[in-house]
Amino acid sequence: MAPKIERIEFLRAARQLHRVRSFYAAGVLLWAGTTAWSGWQAPGSRQMWVSVLLLAVFTALLVTAGLSLRRLAVPATGRPAHHAAPHKAANSRQAHAHA
C-alpha cells in the first residue's frame, strides 16, 4: 500500500509546485512592470531598487520551482494510467459447463 500513498503524495506535491510556479510567474510580471515604471519615473530611486530586488527574488523563486518540477517529472511506468479497477475475468471461480 505504501507505493500508492507515495504516488498520491507525489502528485499532490507536483500540483502544488505548479500552483506556486504560477504565483511566482505572476510576481515576476508584476515586479517587472513596477521596475520598468519606477525606472521610467524616477531612475535610480530607492523605489526602483526595491522593485529590482523583488524582481530578482521572484525570478529566483520561479527558476527554483521550475527546476524542482523538472526534477519531479513523472516517471514512465511503461503502462497506461488507468484510474478504474483492473479488469479481471468475472467468472474465474466458476466451473465452465461443457455441452
Side-chain angles (χ1 to χ4, degrees), residues 21-74:
R21 186 179 65 173
S22 298
F23 177 77
Y24 292 154
V28 166
L29 290 175
L30 172 76
W31 289 112
T34 304
T35 301
W37 180 260
S38 62
W40 180 267
Q41 294 295 320
S45 68
R46 182 180 299 194
Q47 182 181 3
M48 186 198 80
W49 288 112
V50 169
S51 296
V52 168
L53 175 68
L54 288 171
L55 175 63
V57 167
F58 271 87
T59 303
L61 289 171
L62 179 63
V63 168
T64 302
L67 291 175
S68 296
L69 267 173
R70 188 172 295 196
R71 196 168 20 112
L72 272 180
V74 177

Side-chain angles (χ1 to χ4, degrees), residues 88-97:
K88 293 184 179 179
N91 296 332
S92 61
R93 291 187 181 180
Q94 297 176 0
H96 295 286

